Short mmCIF file of all heavy atoms in Angstrom, two decimals:
data_model
loop_
_atom_site.label_atom_id
_atom_site.label_comp_id
_atom_site.label_asym_id
_atom_site.label_seq_id
_atom_site.Cartn_x
_atom_site.Cartn_y
_atom_site.Cartn_z
N ALA A 269 3.15 3.18 16.70
CA ALA A 269 3.48 4.49 16.15
C ALA A 269 3.24 4.59 14.65
O ALA A 269 2.80 5.60 14.15
CB ALA A 269 4.92 4.83 16.49
N LEU A 270 3.58 3.47 13.92
CA LEU A 270 3.26 3.48 12.48
C LEU A 270 1.75 3.57 12.29
O LEU A 270 1.34 4.32 11.39
CB LEU A 270 3.82 2.17 11.86
CG LEU A 270 5.31 2.06 11.55
CD1 LEU A 270 5.60 0.71 10.96
CD2 LEU A 270 5.81 3.18 10.71
N ALA A 271 1.02 2.74 13.02
CA ALA A 271 -0.43 2.79 12.91
C ALA A 271 -1.00 4.15 13.15
O ALA A 271 -1.94 4.62 12.41
CB ALA A 271 -1.09 1.77 13.86
N ASP A 272 -0.48 4.91 14.11
CA ASP A 272 -0.96 6.21 14.41
C ASP A 272 -0.65 7.22 13.28
O ASP A 272 -1.50 8.07 12.89
CB ASP A 272 -0.29 6.77 15.66
CG ASP A 272 -0.72 5.99 16.92
OD1 ASP A 272 -1.82 5.32 16.89
OD2 ASP A 272 -0.07 6.09 17.99
N ALA A 273 0.52 7.08 12.64
CA ALA A 273 0.86 7.89 11.52
C ALA A 273 -0.05 7.57 10.29
O ALA A 273 -0.53 8.46 9.57
CB ALA A 273 2.33 7.73 11.13
N PHE A 274 -0.24 6.28 10.05
CA PHE A 274 -1.18 5.85 8.98
C PHE A 274 -2.56 6.43 9.26
O PHE A 274 -3.19 6.94 8.30
CB PHE A 274 -1.23 4.36 8.94
CG PHE A 274 0.04 3.69 8.52
CD1 PHE A 274 0.18 2.31 8.67
CD2 PHE A 274 1.12 4.41 7.94
CE1 PHE A 274 1.33 1.62 8.31
CE2 PHE A 274 2.27 3.76 7.60
CZ PHE A 274 2.39 2.37 7.81
N ALA A 275 -3.07 6.36 10.47
CA ALA A 275 -4.43 6.77 10.81
C ALA A 275 -4.54 8.28 10.55
O ALA A 275 -5.55 8.73 10.05
CB ALA A 275 -4.74 6.44 12.21
N ALA A 276 -3.48 9.03 10.88
CA ALA A 276 -3.63 10.46 10.66
C ALA A 276 -3.70 10.82 9.12
O ALA A 276 -4.54 11.64 8.73
CB ALA A 276 -2.32 11.19 11.20
N GLY A 277 -2.92 10.07 8.31
CA GLY A 277 -3.02 10.30 6.90
C GLY A 277 -4.31 9.86 6.33
O GLY A 277 -4.93 10.55 5.39
N ILE A 278 -4.82 8.72 6.77
CA ILE A 278 -6.16 8.22 6.25
C ILE A 278 -7.29 9.11 6.73
O ILE A 278 -8.20 9.37 5.91
CB ILE A 278 -6.32 6.75 6.78
CG1 ILE A 278 -5.31 5.81 6.12
CG2 ILE A 278 -7.73 6.26 6.48
CD1 ILE A 278 -5.19 4.46 6.72
N ALA A 279 -7.21 9.61 7.92
CA ALA A 279 -8.25 10.50 8.40
C ALA A 279 -8.37 11.77 7.61
O ALA A 279 -9.43 12.27 7.37
CB ALA A 279 -8.08 10.83 9.90
N ASP A 280 -7.21 12.28 7.19
CA ASP A 280 -7.14 13.48 6.35
C ASP A 280 -7.63 13.25 4.91
O ASP A 280 -8.23 14.11 4.30
CB ASP A 280 -5.73 14.04 6.27
CG ASP A 280 -5.34 14.68 7.59
OD1 ASP A 280 -6.17 15.05 8.42
OD2 ASP A 280 -4.12 14.87 7.80
N HIS A 281 -7.46 11.98 4.39
CA HIS A 281 -7.84 11.67 3.00
C HIS A 281 -8.37 10.26 2.91
O HIS A 281 -7.81 9.40 2.23
CB HIS A 281 -6.55 11.84 2.14
CG HIS A 281 -5.86 13.13 2.23
ND1 HIS A 281 -6.32 14.27 1.52
CD2 HIS A 281 -4.81 13.53 2.94
CE1 HIS A 281 -5.55 15.29 1.85
NE2 HIS A 281 -4.61 14.88 2.70
N PRO A 282 -9.55 10.05 3.55
CA PRO A 282 -10.06 8.67 3.61
C PRO A 282 -10.39 8.10 2.24
O PRO A 282 -10.31 6.92 2.03
CB PRO A 282 -11.30 8.84 4.53
CG PRO A 282 -11.69 10.28 4.46
CD PRO A 282 -10.36 11.02 4.30
N GLU A 283 -10.83 8.98 1.34
CA GLU A 283 -11.21 8.50 -0.03
C GLU A 283 -10.06 7.88 -0.76
O GLU A 283 -10.29 7.13 -1.76
CB GLU A 283 -11.88 9.62 -0.81
CG GLU A 283 -10.90 10.68 -1.23
CD GLU A 283 -10.68 11.72 -0.18
OE1 GLU A 283 -11.21 11.60 0.95
OE2 GLU A 283 -9.92 12.72 -0.43
N ASP A 284 -8.80 8.13 -0.29
CA ASP A 284 -7.68 7.60 -1.03
C ASP A 284 -7.09 6.38 -0.36
O ASP A 284 -6.07 5.90 -0.78
CB ASP A 284 -6.57 8.67 -1.16
CG ASP A 284 -6.99 9.83 -2.09
OD1 ASP A 284 -7.64 9.55 -3.15
OD2 ASP A 284 -6.68 11.03 -1.71
N TRP A 285 -7.77 5.79 0.66
CA TRP A 285 -7.36 4.62 1.32
C TRP A 285 -8.08 3.46 0.62
O TRP A 285 -9.29 3.30 0.74
CB TRP A 285 -7.70 4.70 2.79
CG TRP A 285 -7.14 3.52 3.60
CD1 TRP A 285 -5.95 3.00 3.48
CD2 TRP A 285 -7.90 2.84 4.65
NE1 TRP A 285 -5.77 1.98 4.38
CE2 TRP A 285 -6.91 1.88 5.12
CE3 TRP A 285 -9.13 2.92 5.19
CZ2 TRP A 285 -7.32 0.99 6.15
CZ3 TRP A 285 -9.44 2.05 6.26
CH2 TRP A 285 -8.54 1.10 6.66
N HIS A 286 -7.31 2.65 -0.06
CA HIS A 286 -7.92 1.55 -0.95
C HIS A 286 -7.94 0.26 -0.14
O HIS A 286 -7.17 -0.65 -0.56
CB HIS A 286 -7.12 1.48 -2.22
CG HIS A 286 -6.99 2.75 -2.96
ND1 HIS A 286 -5.87 3.08 -3.70
CD2 HIS A 286 -7.81 3.84 -3.01
CE1 HIS A 286 -6.06 4.26 -4.30
NE2 HIS A 286 -7.24 4.76 -3.87
N MET A 287 -8.71 0.18 0.90
CA MET A 287 -8.72 -1.04 1.67
C MET A 287 -10.04 -1.76 1.43
O MET A 287 -11.06 -1.49 2.07
CB MET A 287 -8.59 -0.77 3.19
CG MET A 287 -8.49 -1.98 4.03
SD MET A 287 -7.22 -3.16 3.62
CE MET A 287 -5.72 -2.22 3.92
#
Side-chain angles (χ1 to χ4, degrees):
L270 284 180
D272 292 342
F274 295 166
I278 292 167
D280 287 341
H281 306 279
E283 68 279 4
D284 293 322
W285 188 41
H286 308 148
M287 185 55 65

